[in-house]
Amino acid sequence: MANPDFESNARWRDLDKLLLRPGNLVNENFEPGPQLRSDLQEYARVLVVGAGGLGCELLKDFALSGFRNLEVIDMDRIEVTNLNRQFLFRLQDVGRPKAEVAAQRVMERVSGVNIVPHFCRIEDKEVEFYNDFNIIALGLDSIEARSYINAVACSFLEYDSEDNPIQETMKPMVDGGTEGFKGHARVIMPGVTPCFECTIWLFPPQVKFPLCTLAETPRTAAHCIEYAHLIKWDEVNSGKAFDADDPEHMQWIYSEATKRAELFGIPGVTYSLTQGVVKNIIPAIASTNAIISAACALEALKLATGCSKTLSNYLTYNGLEGLHTKVTEFFKDKDCLVCGPGVLLELDTSITLQKFIELVEEHPKLLLAKASVTHRGKNLYMQAPPVLEEMTRSNLNLPLYDLMDKTPKDVIHITGMVSKNDKKTSCLRKLRVVFKGVDVVTEMDTAGGA
Amino acid sequence: MAETKTKYDRQIRIWGEQGQTALEKASICLLNCGPTGSEALKNLVLGGVGSITIIDGSKVEEGDLGNNFMVDESSIGQSKAKCVCAFLQELNDAVKAKFVEESPEALIEMNPSFFSQFTLVIATQLKEPSMLKLDKICRQADVMLVVARSYGLTGLVRISLKEHTVIESKPDHFLDDLRLNNPWPELKRFAESIDLSTTDPVVHKHIPYVIILVKMAEEWANAHNGSLPSTREEKREFKDLLKSKKIALDEDNYKEAIDASFKISASRGISSNLRKIIDDSSAEVDSASSDFWVMVAALKEFILNEGDGEAPLEGAIPDMTSSTEFYVNLQKIYQAKAEEDFLAVERRVRDILKRVGRDPASISKGNIKSFCRNARKLMVCRYRSIEDEFNSPTLSELQKYLTDEDYSIAVGFYILLRAVDRFATNYNRFPGLFDGAVDEDISRLKTIAVGILSDLGCNGSTLTDDLINEMHRFGGAELHTVAAVIGGIASQEVIKLITKQFIPMSGTFIFNAIDHKSQLLGL
């Protein structure tokens, strides 16, 4: 009775049709057979980033697609407004970490699957943490977070001496996003397809109201709300930080916005709109999340097994007016700072880490602040946390060349902060460092570099 | 109650309280609760649909654990309908969840009147003969039907009902109703009260672009025998004229006027879509006509009379650079005109109701107002019966699909999804269900597919061997991810149908999970 092999075979009745049988419309590396399923179960390691509307679906989809080694990372706790779509959560779970509850629920229902939850910010993990996965699935709702994970995944990508990406170092990603009845699913194969940064223009920055409009010529309910939120709050509550999750704060904004609207004869300020504007709420429904996540998980299954062709490389779904789906093949930006070979820096062997950091922070293509430096997973200098800063501070006066064990040329990873649309965000950049006069034989081609 | 509202906040922002109420009143019947059906229902239960009834006669087998999240080890051997129902109930206790342990095929055969109690039926994984019967039953009982099918790396979704009318179609992009080239007296007067050549730079940069365009369009027309810019050259000239009126570089209102200058050439009168609706024979109303068509009849009269060829004014204006005073006044002028138009339509609605022998107050003010606000965006969707489509598809379309590279896989799957059902009728199983006898199954499947094509009048057309092999490889598998996509799409369409908002899909959606080049086939 208790024959585990037999049990799992019966369970994968449907999936096995795809994994065990040969086909013609499949990936060239497809090798059907029972070994493929067991390899998938044993070796494929997937990280799901985000345990929200997409993340809950993704975890379920992966668990029911034969994956067994899953991890999920999310910094949020469950809120009541999640319950209309994040189907792994119940009312009594409100306040608990999403990653933990999601992992537990899926493991309870799908035997054999193991899900490790991480209740923290994505930046809290060492970069190397992300290198442990074969596939990273993104279920996020912010551009900044996507951009960060993308940079991390691309940082593992290495190029050979002819600037061709090395297959073994590619960290594939599937990325989903939804808004109401619309969504997208995409496959990112760093070095081959465009990375998130290559096509960042697909995500135009959020339009902000000019402050003078808010202060002098308000016309809409949203203007009145943003006036209360961005101007009046600081005037009245000097020093007190505004917290969008504090109902009293929100109520205050609402009543100030109402007063202003009455003053100017502007209709339409409601509590619901106030929340929507202040928190920049993106409407979300279960069905779209389910569609987009399943498309992403299916692509991940194809990446892991080759059991069908892959999406190349960007799918949009729009259910607003009828039903429209479209596949667009975007092309990568060969000069991309993130997925390209990296900015090339030619250095003297005498340059200290301190000087190197200054050089990097002033570099016109990089323009980052608070740079921390890593070489092959070794922290050369870390700005934070304080313990690490203290531990690495003494390196600042040492030559970088020595810190890199006298490697004539290699890749260096820099993490720091960049300003984008008046917003500071974490970023990760890859640099190629070459020391002058050390190794003339294999001198790198500097064309197109720094 | 407050908690309920908070729970649904993210979706109420999309379909409003009204849409939510419609959902909460709806009763949905699901046929077969494999992963496709379970996933479809899951999305609706989370959204707070009124009641669900699951029909499935099968017991949970171990194979179901590999593709359906709603069942687990403890479910094996039990009624699938019961297990899925229990899990779904756990998701939302506001939903009334019921199940009937019976095979859908038997119910369709033995108890057709059973279905008339529902708002909508979602039929999943149903084979062709039962599907055709169910379609007839639902049409007769005026119950909406959504068909969903997952099969290997393909699947389909199809809506079937006689007629679906939409007032709030909420399109993403739609030209504002500004009447820049056809201002009514109040708008004209307001425009005249504002001097574009004012020397006060603060006033000058706060004149709303709507006013700038109304005035400049008039100026242009006066200089051009009453006509507006129409050629590319004239449009460029008009933009230059706008540019010449700027007195400072930072005048956003003029920038907006130049960007929106195409709006002065918006054609007058109603769109061809609206023309079709008011000319529809249903607009000749009687006591049996729906509220929608009574309002269309009133709209038609309005357009011919008070409207002077135009639909009622929408009354909303976009945000634009302006002083608060100019903007608020402009808004009031648009709203007043919309209100006037609404009152005229309302009078006509009441008259028509009286004329056909209905209570003149039987359509609420709110509904008429919403109808007027959305008059330019009305939608009427009609669907052929599935039997009609199968017996006499639009041949020209079918032939186009068969020869168009973009459609070849989708139309191939469309034929093959029918072929596997015929195969199952003949051999009592799907092709490739078991390992072995591969070549025989494939050649049988091919013969059936070619037969279907020739029945449809596409003699000589065939499908690629690769695709037929692929269909055989699927062996009737219901993959979880494919089921989640198909179920997800089905539930999204159900929401549009029940809330009567947004535009439901037309034709048959064929999912292509191989490269995601899915298509809608209008046959």
Side-chain angles (χ1 to χ4, degrees), chain A residues 7-8 10-15 17-18 21-26 30 57 60-61 64-65 80-81 83-85 87-88 90-91 105-106 109-111 180-182 216-220 223 264-267 272 275-276 281-288 290-291 294-295 297-299 302 307-311 315 317 319-323 325 327, chain B residues 3 6-11 13-15 39 42-43 46-47 61-73 87 90-91 153 170-172 206 319-324 327-328 331 432-435 466-467 469-470 472-475 477-481 484-485 488-489 491-493 496 502-505 509 513-518 520:
Chain A
E7 274 179 20
S8 60
R11 162 171 302 199
W12 301 114
R13 174 191 69 196
D14 291 62
L15 184 66
K17 300 270 193 308
L18 216 58
R21 296 175 168 186
N24 298 331
L25 302 172
V26 295
F30 181 49
E57 290 282 337
K60 172 206 70 175
D61 294 337
L64 293 176
S65 296
V80 177
T81 54
L83 300 178
N84 80 322
R85 61 198 186 284
F87 74 103
L88 296 172
R90 311 282 173 267
L91 195 55
R105 287 281 140 75
V106 174
R109 294 200 69 84
V110 185
S111 65
F181 286 103
K182 296 187 285 189
E216 288 155 25
T217 57
R219 301 175 298 269
T220 66
H223 292 157
F264 285 94
I266 296 166
S272 170
Q275 283 183 307
I281 292 174
I282 300 163
I285 53 175
S287 57
T288 318
I291 295 162
L298 178 60
E299 289 311 307
K302 293 177 187 176
C307 68
S308 189
K309 295 181 175 179
T310 45
L311 163 67
L315 169 72
Y317 180 92
L320 214 53
E321 295 165 58
L323 172 52
T325 66
V327 175
Chain B
E3 203 150 68
T6 313
K7 181 162 85 175
Y8 298 134
D9 177 83
R10 296 302 185 265
Q11 64 195 48
R13 287 174 192 276
I14 300 176
W15 50 68
E39 288 292 320
K42 177 201 80 190
N43 302 329
L46 288 167
E61 296 171 18
E62 202 179 347
D64 299 323
L65 271 48
N67 66 9
N68 194 340
F69 196 75
M70 319 289 152
V71 296
D72 64 9
E73 249 106 23
F87 181 85
E90 212 186 287
L91 293 182
L153 291 174
K170 299 185 173 178
D172 234 358
H206 285 102
D319 184 28
M320 62 193 84
T321 299
S322 163
S323 66
T324 303
Y327 186 80
V328 169
Q331 214 172 20
L433 182 68
F434 305 112
D435 295 330
D466 282 352
L467 204 64
N469 284 347
E470 192 70 359
H472 172 268
R473 173 185 176 221
F474 298 157
E478 206 175 343
L479 301 165
H480 179 76
T481 49
V485 171
I489 293 173
S491 60
Q492 191 159 107
E493 294 305 317
K496 292 191 271 181
F502 308 99
I503 305 171
M505 59 174 271
F509 177 77
I514 297 173
D515 57 13
H516 287 279
K517 290 178 183 161
S518 306
L520 272 175

Side-chain angles (χ1 to χ4, degrees), chain B residues 249-481:
Chain B
L249 276 172
D250 66 337
E251 293 187 311
D252 288 337
N253 54 338
Y254 275 87
K255 226 183 284 164
E256 289 169 4
I258 291 163
D259 288 344
S261 63
F262 70 94
K263 291 181 185 173
I264 65 155
S265 313
S267 55
R268 290 196 192 179
I270 59 174
S271 70
S272 59
N273 177 51
L274 186 54
R275 164 74 51 202
K276 232 161 82 191
I277 293 174
I278 61 171
D279 287 345
D280 195 285
S281 60
S282 298
E284 286 152 31
V285 293
D286 56 34
S287 61
S289 296
S290 68
D291 290 358
F292 178 86
W293 287 109
V294 169
M295 290 191 280
V296 169
L299 172 66
K300 185 175 187 171
E301 291 182 6
F302 173 89
I303 292 168
L304 290 170
N305 296 285
E306 300 92 335
D308 193 18
E310 299 280 355
L313 185 77
E314 194 172 312
I317 55 173
D319 184 28
M320 62 193 84
T321 299
S322 163
S323 66
T324 303
E325 194 195 345
F326 281 159
Y327 186 80
V328 169
N329 285 337
L330 195 60
Q331 214 172 20
K332 281 184 184 152
I333 288 166
Y334 274 84
Q335 277 166 355
K337 165 74 170 154
E339 180 71 13
E340 185 190 317
D341 287 357
F342 151 70
L343 289 171
V345 174
E346 189 194 16
R347 267 194 306 276
R348 293 189 176 276
V349 170
R350 309 275 175 235
D351 285 348
I352 292 169
L353 285 169
K354 216 181 294 171
R355 206 189 309 150
V356 299
R358 284 180 60 185
D359 175 4
S362 61
I363 301 179
S364 76
K365 226 178 171 63
N367 282 354
I368 301 170
K369 202 163 239 175
S370 166
F371 182 87
C372 289
R373 211 179 302 132
N374 293 287
R376 295 182 311 140
K377 305 165 189 169
L378 302 176
M379 279 304 286
V380 174
C381 311
R382 294 188 173 118
Y383 300 86
R384 306 182 73 180
S385 77
I386 300 174
E387 189 165 26
D388 261 6
E389 177 185 319
F390 281 3
N391 289 339
S392 54
T394 316
L395 205 56
S396 55
E397 287 295 298
L398 183 60
Q399 269 154 352
K400 194 187 85 189
Y401 295 147
L402 283 163
T403 49
D404 185 336
E405 203 188 320
D406 290 340
Y407 282 87
S408 65
I409 290 190
V411 74
F413 277 138
Y414 176 83
I415 299 295
L416 286 166
L417 281 164
R418 293 190 60 193
V420 294
D421 280 357
R422 287 207 191 168
F423 188 107
T425 307
N426 294 349
Y427 305 104
N428 227 7
R429 62 173 173 84
F430 285 126
L433 182 68
F434 305 112
D435 295 330
V438 177
D439 294 341
E440 196 183 4
D441 266 18
I442 289 177
S443 88
R444 282 169 170 170
L445 181 60
K446 185 171 182 170
T447 309
I448 293 172
V450 170
I452 291 173
L453 277 169
S454 88
D455 287 353
L456 294 176
C458 296
N459 284 318
S461 291
T462 184
L463 306 173
T464 67
D465 285 344
D466 282 352
L467 204 64
I468 297 168
N469 284 347
E470 192 70 359
M471 201 67 174
H472 172 268
R473 173 185 176 221
F474 298 157
E478 206 175 343
L479 301 165
H480 179 76
T481 49

Side-chain angles (χ1 to χ4, degrees), chain A residues 151-385:
Chain A
V152 170
C154 290
S155 75
F156 304 126
L157 180 67
E158 291 180 24
Y159 283 78
D160 63 19
S161 54
E162 275 150 26
D163 274 0
N164 293 312
I166 301 168
Q167 177 110 35
E168 295 72 41
T169 63
M170 289 179 195
K171 183 79 59 195
M173 284 172 278
V174 289
D175 169 52
T178 74
E179 178 175 355
F181 286 103
K182 296 187 285 189
H184 80 262
R186 72 190 293 186
V187 175
I188 297 177
M189 184 66 88
V192 180
T193 71
C195 78
F196 183 72
E197 215 64 39
C198 293
T199 52
I200 193 82
W201 49 270
L202 285 165
F203 297 81
Q206 204 199 329
V207 190
K208 278 195 223 144
F209 305 122
L211 283 179
C212 61
T213 295
L214 303 184
E216 288 155 25
T217 57
R219 301 175 298 269
T220 66
H223 292 157
C224 299
I225 293 164
E226 282 294 58
Y227 171 79
H229 172 215
L230 298 174
I231 297 173
K232 191 84 191 221
W233 175 272
D234 285 338
E235 272 176 26
V236 178
N237 307 286
S238 57
K240 191 153 106 192
F242 173 75
D243 177 6
D245 292 323
D246 185 330
E248 272 180 39
H249 289 196
M250 195 59 85
Q251 193 64 47
W252 188 90
I253 299 287
Y254 169 56
S255 83
E256 286 301 318
T258 308
K259 275 187 230 161
R260 188 162 176 85
E262 275 168 17
L263 182 67
F264 285 94
I266 296 166
V269 174
T270 62
Y271 188 69
S272 170
L273 182 69
T274 305
Q275 283 183 307
V277 169
V278 172
K279 295 171 112 175
N280 185 27
I281 292 174
I282 300 163
I285 53 175
S287 57
T288 318
N289 283 329
I291 295 162
I292 293 300
S293 302
C296 288
L298 178 60
E299 289 311 307
L301 177 68
K302 293 177 187 176
L303 288 172
T305 65
C307 68
S308 189
K309 295 181 175 179
T310 45
L311 163 67
S312 181
N313 41 40
Y314 198 106
L315 169 72
T316 47
Y317 180 92
N318 188 345
L320 214 53
E321 295 165 58
L323 172 52
H324 299 277
T325 66
K326 187 167 185 268
V327 175
T328 311
E329 185 173 1
F330 287 112
F331 293 99
K332 72 170 189 152
D333 172 3
K334 64 175 177 22
D335 296 325
C336 179
L337 285 181
V338 177
C339 70
V343 170
L344 183 73
L345 291 180
E346 279 190 278
L347 304 171
D348 289 320
T349 49
S350 60
I351 189 171
T352 61
L353 181 56
Q354 175 85 56
K355 272 266 171 263
F356 172 71
I357 289 175
E358 284 164 18
L359 196 75
V360 164
E361 293 186 341
E362 283 160 16
H363 193 286
K365 277 194 181 173
L366 301 167
L367 286 177
L368 40 72
K370 295 203 153 226
S372 298
V373 184
T374 324
H375 175 239
R376 301 263 155 214
K378 189 172 104 187
N379 295 328
L380 301 187
Y381 180 68
M382 301 302 281
Q383 302 264 2

